[in-house]
Amino acid sequence: MSILIKNTNILTMVENTIVKGNILVEDNLITRIGEFDFEADEIIDGSNFITMPGIVNAHTHIAMSLLRNYADDLPFWPWLTEKIWPAEANLNEESVYWGSMLSIAEMIASGTTTFCDMYFFTEETIKAVKETGIRANLSRGLVSGEEEGEKLQNAINLHNEFHLKDEGRIRIDLGPHAPYTCSDDYLKKIAGEAGKRDTNIHIHLSESKKEIEDSIEKNGNTPIEHVNSLGLFDHPTIAAHCVNVNDDDIQILADKKVNVVNNPSSNLKLANGFAPVNEMMKKGINVALGTDGPSSNNNQDMFEEMHLAALVNKVISNDTTVLPAYEVLKMATVNGAKALRVDNIVGTLEVGKHADIILVDIHNPHMYPHHDLIASLVYSASSSDVDTVIVDGKILYQNKKFLTIDIETVYKKAQKASERLTGDKNEI
Amino acid sequence: MSILIKNTNILTMVENTIVKGNILVEDNLITRIGEFDFEADEIIDGSNFITMPGIVNAHTHIAMSLLRNYADDLPFWPWLTEKIWPAEANLNEESVYWGSMLSIAEMIASGTTTFCDMYFFTEETIKAVKETGIRANLSRGLVSGEEEGEKLQNAINLHNEFHLKDEGRIRIDLGPHAPYTCSDDYLKKIAGEAGKRDTNIHIHLSESKKEIEDSIEKNGNTPIEHVNSLGLFDHPTIAAHCVNVNDDDIQILADKKVNVVNNPSSNLKLANGFAPVNEMMKKGINVALGTDGPSSNNNQDMFEEMHLAALVNKVISNDTTVLPAYEVLKMATVNGAKALRVDNIVGTLEVGKHADIILVDIHNPHMYPHHDLIASLVYSASSSDVDTVIVDGKILYQNKKFLTIDIETVYKKAQKASERLTGDKNEI
């Protein structure tokens, strides 16, 4: 199977420029980029599109789509303890499957080709990933308490069974939820298991101010100092949030080459604060971008996150030159791939890489006139400009239609599953 | 001519609730809302849509669409003096017409039915408003210096000729640019002319920190104290920005019933700061929402502004309950209409009001499951969910197609006009 994207505007994310040309995909790989002729099985006219690497959503909890717009504008603790946790207590295999399918549809339609997830009933999310054709790093959420051993064993089993299977589209990471929900012993045990398997650790760190205060009171140090003292950062780590960090924290993250995931919508909506992205980048930290779960966002729109990251970091730095458009696009592609340790196969458009490619429409009112199209992707574009999505050489979405998802069934099943969790009956 | 929107999810913006029902439009008015039968000329199936009042973009400079993505990520002063001003020096009637047409297309497609503009060659924007069928408050930008008298006379002539013409779709306001570009005498003169005609003043106030420092150095008071001392606020005023305001400023704005327009994207992108929207609202100030010009945003997407206003004000207030979804929707509809003094005819869906109505698609992945649809409009929706737009009883946009605009011609002409202003040649 070969796909030729013809006469398109190519943003490889290797260089800060857009050039006219063709891209050839053969089987699951990019085999040519430039000016050439080829008789491909499928030809896509790319002239009205920017053709760029698929977006990497580096932190989310996709099955939480079922709780989207269920409980908003509430104080954080009542939201979590009176609304989200009681609803989550009703989760089962079926709900996680349909919640995953709904989110994967949303992600594909908005240009995300790889996501990094932490949640429960991970087998169901794996099933949805396999069926839809998207790429994912998945980790089963691990918290201390009853059955913590069984949970870790489940995570290890998932790793043994699914890691790097399906042409490498699925990676299994280990997901200790956070230092405030995992005991020190548990964190050390998880770190040890990650080390044995050379897989990533995916964890929440320094999200809320309360988390920092509690950590200092309990441990005498910050969450980042604390998990570092436990040896967690001796293994490749994906650290979501890192909002409330001090200079010492940033130095540790830099020294230990921790990958940070910025989630601006969630951090703002939950009033947790502004992550010092520019300060972290200046120290050489790899900062990726994520949406966080769709119940604290409330979507999985990475174009919105790019826009927000660019704007927020300018105003908090009091400097309009901070986080220019190309740097933000790197967060959402190259840096995400690096954080997830899939940058050897995706994150840029290069000959030999796996074909994770999106086509973004530039033929609409908000994208005209055409000046700096790289700026237009961050400052003007909307995720609805995504027209075509290819993952691992397979077209998943074309002319804004799903090719691997029966979307009407997903709507119905997700609505029903959501009503079972919340007890709310849809009146609309 | 009658239009029946059937079996839809109605958000009137009179009450914080969505109810199932029908809406009847006869000629340019809403004549029935509820459960009823009617043999209308045109029937729209509204079952997959939220039907709500058209959005009011309360501050922009629409013809600046031509300079969108032309000069980003630069320091403010080089951006303005080396890029924007030299390009604007090449403006003529034709460029303002095509820049206006492009922006009006963008606004209609994203659900904006009324906008409030300040710019030059206003006759050309008026022509575009008349042709496309959108609603607008327009003011010719006024700055002191050579020909200031002629400029004011031009504004007065526009008022005499166009104010409340075209079934009231066009209002002409007076637009002194800012206290730092208008002399005290000129501001007093403009205020006097606004008073004689009982029309609005549209002005930029307290946008950048530098503006405040300069005002204190020059006048010994803040821009808001200063224009108040000149009597400007004795007339209905639309004050864009009000970012860098102190408690005394806020008290003046409240006492004088000044309408404030929050422009979060622009304020963040230009690193001007966060307007204290919640503080202003608590004092009873009417706060509307705007995009500012598309060269400092870089789009005119009011759904993006709603999202940003909700999120930013939560985090700066350290309170997740601040600016709940319905309040933000009010900013973008009712409050905007009130600021522009068109709330007697638009801003809500009520029998007897002019039919400015939009249909927002809820049948897509990011809007499922359906729980709180009011929250979904602010936290999950994208402007591309807008499917149908009616202004003054006329359908301007349906099934995402323009009915009053030849969009391909607009793209070509706007691209060409833009290249003439900037000297940049489009390579794409």
Side-chain angles (χ1 to χ4, degrees):
Chain A
M1 173 68 184
S2 59
I3 305 165
L4 178 65
I5 307 168
K6 271 187 82 162
N7 194 31
T8 192
N9 308 294
I10 306 172
L11 174 62
T12 63
M13 290 310 298
V14 177
E15 278 186 302
N16 183 356
T17 183
I18 291 185
V19 290
K20 271 278 180 201
N22 302 334
I23 298 178
L24 180 63
V25 175
E26 290 178 284
D27 297 324
N28 64 342
L29 300 181
I30 297 169
T31 54
R32 291 178 81 175
I33 300 177
E35 294 291 344
F36 57 85
D37 288 319
F38 190 90
E39 297 280 326
D41 300 325
E42 169 128 14
I43 293 174
I44 296 172
D45 175 4
S47 52
N48 277 332
F49 301 97
I50 295 169
T51 298
M52 61 175 282
I55 305 280
V56 180
N57 182 348
H59 178 67
T60 184
H61 313 283
I62 66 166
M64 291 186 82
S65 59
L66 298 184
L67 301 176
R68 182 186 354 243
N69 299 316
Y70 160 60
D72 291 292
D73 303 322
L74 296 173
F76 181 78
W77 283 105
W79 170 74
L80 193 64
T81 60
E82 294 168 28
K83 297 294 239 171
I84 298 301
W85 286 350
E88 281 187 330
N90 298 325
L91 279 171
N92 63 10
E93 285 82 353
E94 198 188 2
S95 45
V96 169
Y97 174 74
W98 290 112
S100 297
M101 287 296 284
L102 179 65
S103 276
I104 290 172
E106 184 193 358
M107 290 191 288
I108 290 173
S110 55
T112 292
T113 54
T114 301
F115 69 98
C116 182
D117 194 76
M118 180 199 297
Y119 210 54
F120 318 113
F121 299 103
T122 307
E123 292 85 347
E124 299 300 317
T125 303
I126 291 171
K127 195 175 142 199
V129 168
K130 286 182 172 219
E131 288 174 14
T132 57
I134 199 167
R135 187 182 301 282
N137 281 36
L138 303 171
S139 53
R140 190 227 192 280
L142 300 169
V143 296
S144 285
E146 271 181 55
E147 301 180 0
E148 66 174 46
E150 287 84 343
K151 287 172 190 167
L152 179 54
Q153 190 55 52
N154 172 228
I156 291 167
N157 293 346
L158 291 171
H159 188 271
N160 292 340
E161 190 174 349
F162 297 109
H163 185 62
L164 293 179
K165 300 291 159 61
D166 282 79
E167 300 92 38
R169 275 199 297 113
I170 297 173
R171 287 186 63 105
I172 304 293
D173 300 332
L174 292 186
H177 173 265
Y180 61 89
T181 49
C182 293
S183 69
D184 292 356
D185 279 351
Y186 199 41
L187 286 171
K188 280 196 254 186
K189 204 165 181 182
I190 295 166
E193 297 294 343
K196 276 187 221 163
R197 286 160 185 80
D198 186 29
T199 201
N200 303 324
I201 291 167
H202 182 189
I203 189 168
H204 298 90
L205 279 179
S206 300
E207 182 177 5
S208 69
K209 292 174 195 81
K210 183 174 185 304
E211 178 186 343
I212 315 301
E213 292 160 10
D214 290 353
S215 176
I216 289 170
E217 192 179 321
K218 185 178 163 208
N219 303 313
N221 53 16
T222 68
I224 286 170
E225 288 169 334
H226 189 66
V227 299
N228 186 43
S229 75
L230 301 175
L232 204 79
F233 293 156
D234 297 337
H235 310 284
T237 301
I238 302 161
H241 301 302
C242 301
V243 175
N244 293 290
V245 292
N246 62 29
D247 289 349
D248 291 343
D249 290 333
I250 292 175
Q251 194 59 54
I252 292 169
L253 296 171
D255 291 343
K256 305 299 285 192
K257 300 194 189 309
V258 174
N259 299 284
V260 169
V261 185
N262 180 222
N263 303 279
S265 281
S266 168
N267 299 157
L268 271 60
K269 185 164 189 286
L270 299 178
N272 282 320
F274 303 105
V277 171
N278 190 46
E279 302 308 310
M280 293 194 274
M281 283 185 165
K282 280 197 291 190
K283 287 279 183 184
I285 296 171
N286 182 50
V287 184
L289 199 61
T291 58
D292 204 359
S295 75
S296 54
N297 185 312
N298 296 344
N299 59 37
Q300 286 167 119
D301 183 337
M302 287 289 287
F303 280 83
E304 203 164 78
E305 299 304 322
M306 285 197 282
H307 187 245
L308 209 45
L311 266 52
V312 158
N313 284 286
K314 289 180 207 318
V315 71
I316 64 169
S317 307
N318 194 25
D319 181 349
T320 55
T321 69
V322 158
L323 259 66
Y326 187 69
E327 285 305 312
V328 175
L329 283 160
K330 278 177 71 179
M331 291 173 73
T333 55
V334 182
N335 299 7
K338 190 177 171 197
L340 273 57
R341 281 210 287 170
V342 293
D343 53 324
N344 55 327
I345 54 169
V346 296
T348 55
L349 301 187
E350 291 179 88
V351 170
K353 281 210 169 175
H354 288 229
D356 285 17
I357 302 172
I358 63 173
L359 277 75
V360 182
D361 187 8
I362 56 172
H363 195 62
N364 61 51
H366 57 267
M367 297 293 266
Y368 273 96
H370 296 159
H371 286 297
D372 178 352
L373 288 176
I374 290 175
S376 79
L377 285 169
V378 173
Y379 299 121
S380 305
S382 152
S383 63
S384 62
D385 299 332
V386 173
D387 178 90
T388 297
V389 176
I390 300 170
V391 178
D392 218 41
K394 189 172 173 189
I395 305 175
L396 307 187
Y397 189 72
Q398 193 166 24
N399 303 325
K400 298 185 191 285
K401 301 279 176 231
F402 295 101
L403 303 190
T404 60
I405 298 173
D406 171 4
I407 193 66
E408 294 299 327
T409 299
V410 172
Y411 294 152
K412 280 193 201 90
K413 295 283 192 176
Q415 181 71 39
K416 210 173 144 190
S418 169
E419 289 174 12
R420 199 187 62 80
L421 296 193
T422 61
D424 275 12
K425 195 79 196 132
N426 170 41
E427 303 291 332
I428 299 298
Chain B
M1 172 69 184
S2 59
I3 305 166
L4 178 65
I5 307 167
K6 271 189 82 164
N7 194 30
T8 193
N9 309 293
I10 305 172
L11 174 62
T12 62
M13 291 308 299
V14 176
E15 277 187 304
N16 184 356
T17 184
I18 291 185
V19 291
K20 271 278 181 201
N22 302 335
I23 298 178
L24 180 63
V25 175
E26 291 178 283
D27 297 324
N28 64 342
L29 300 180
I30 297 169
T31 54
R32 291 179 79 173
I33 300 176
E35 295 290 344
F36 56 87
D37 287 318
F38 191 90
E39 297 280 325
D41 299 325
E42 169 129 15
I43 293 174
I44 296 172
D45 174 5
S47 53
N48 278 331
F49 302 96
I50 295 169
T51 298
M52 62 176 281
I55 305 280
V56 180
N57 182 347
H59 177 68
T60 184
H61 313 283
I62 65 166
M64 291 186 84
S65 59
L66 299 185
L67 302 177
R68 177 179 10 234
N69 299 316
Y70 160 60
D72 290 293
D73 302 323
L74 296 175
F76 182 78
W77 282 104
W79 170 74
L80 193 63
T81 61
E82 293 168 27
K83 298 295 240 171
I84 298 300
W85 286 351
E88 281 187 329
N90 298 324
L91 279 171
N92 63 11
E93 284 84 352
E94 198 187 1
S95 44
V96 169
Y97 174 74
W98 290 111
S100 297
M101 288 295 286
L102 180 64
S103 276
I104 290 172
E106 184 192 358
M107 289 190 288
I108 289 173
S110 56
T112 292
T113 53
T114 302
F115 69 99
C116 183
D117 195 76
M118 181 199 296
Y119 210 54
F120 318 113
F121 298 103
T122 307
E123 293 85 346
E124 300 298 318
T125 303
I126 291 171
K127 196 174 141 198
V129 168
K130 285 181 173 223
E131 287 174 15
T132 57
I134 199 168
R135 188 181 301 281
N137 280 36
L138 303 170
S139 53
R140 189 225 194 280
L142 300 171
V143 296
S144 285
E146 272 181 54
E147 301 179 0
E148 65 174 47
E150 288 85 342
K151 288 172 189 165
L152 179 54
Q153 189 56 52
N154 171 229
I156 291 166
N157 293 346
L158 291 172
H159 188 272
N160 291 340
E161 190 173 349
F162 297 108
H163 186 62
L164 293 179
K165 300 290 159 60
D166 282 80
E167 298 93 42
R169 276 199 298 111
I170 297 173
R171 287 186 62 106
I172 305 293
D173 300 331
L174 292 186
H177 173 265
Y180 61 90
T181 48
C182 293
S183 69
D184 292 355
D185 278 351
Y186 198 40
L187 285 171
K188 280 197 255 185
K189 205 164 177 181
I190 295 165
E193 296 294 344
K196 273 188 225 167
R197 285 159 186 81
D198 187 31
T199 200
N200 303 324
I201 291 169
H202 181 188
I203 189 168
H204 297 90
L205 279 179
S206 301
E207 181 176 5
S208 70
K209 293 176 194 80
K210 186 176 184 302
E211 178 187 342
I212 315 302
E213 291 159 10
D214 290 353
S215 176
I216 288 170
E217 191 179 321
K218 186 179 162 208
N219 303 313
N221 54 16
T222 68
I224 286 168
E225 288 168 335
H226 189 66
V227 300
N228 186 42
S229 76
L230 300 175
L232 205 78
F233 293 156
D234 297 338
H235 311 284
T237 300
I238 303 161
H241 302 303
C242 301
V243 174
N244 293 290
V245 292
N246 63 30
D247 289 349
D248 291 343
D249 290 334
I250 292 175
Q251 195 58 55
I252 291 169
L253 295 171
D255 291 343
K256 304 300 286 191
K257 301 194 188 312
V258 174
N259 299 283
V260 169
V261 186
N262 180 221
N263 303 278
S265 281
S266 169
N267 298 156
L268 271 59
K269 184 164 189 284
L270 299 178
N272 283 319
F274 302 107
V277 172
N278 190 46
E279 302 309 310
M280 292 194 276
M281 283 184 165
K282 278 196 291 191
K283 287 279 181 183
I285 296 171
N286 181 50
V287 184
L289 199 61
T291 58
D292 204 359
S295 75
S296 54
N297 184 313
N298 300 341
N299 59 38
Q300 285 166 120
D301 183 336
M302 288 289 289
F303 281 82
E304 203 164 78
E305 300 304 321
M306 285 196 283
H307 186 247
L308 209 45
L311 267 53
V312 159
N313 284 286
K314 289 179 207 319
V315 71
I316 65 169
S317 306
N318 195 24
D319 182 349
T320 56
T321 68
V322 157
L323 257 67
Y326 187 69
E327 284 304 312
V328 175
L329 283 161
K330 278 177 72 179
M331 290 174 72
T333 54
V334 182
N335 299 7
K338 190 176 170 198
L340 274 58
R341 282 209 287 168
V342 292
D343 53 324
N344 56 324
I345 54 170
V346 296
T348 57
L349 301 186
E350 291 178 88
V351 169
K353 281 210 170 177
H354 289 229
D356 285 17
I357 301 173
I358 63 174
L359 277 75
V360 182
D361 187 8
I362 56 173
H363 195 62
N364 61 51
H366 57 267
M367 298 292 268
Y368 272 95
H370 295 160
H371 286 297
D372 178 352
L373 289 176
I374 290 175
S376 79
L377 284 169
V378 173
Y379 298 121
S380 305
S382 152
S383 64
S384 62
D385 300 332
V386 173
D387 179 90
T388 298
V389 176
I390 299 170
V391 178
D392 217 39
K394 189 172 171 187
I395 305 176
L396 308 188
Y397 189 73
Q398 193 166 23
N399 303 324
K400 297 186 192 285
K401 300 280 177 230
F402 294 101
L403 303 189
T404 59
I405 297 173
D406 170 4
I407 194 66
E408 294 299 327
T409 299
V410 171
Y411 294 153
K412 281 194 200 89
K413 295 284 191 175
Q415 182 71 39
K416 211 174 146 192
S418 169
E419 290 175 12
R420 199 186 63 78
L421 295 192
T422 62
D424 276 12
K425 194 78 197 134
N426 171 40
E427 304 289 333
I428 301 297

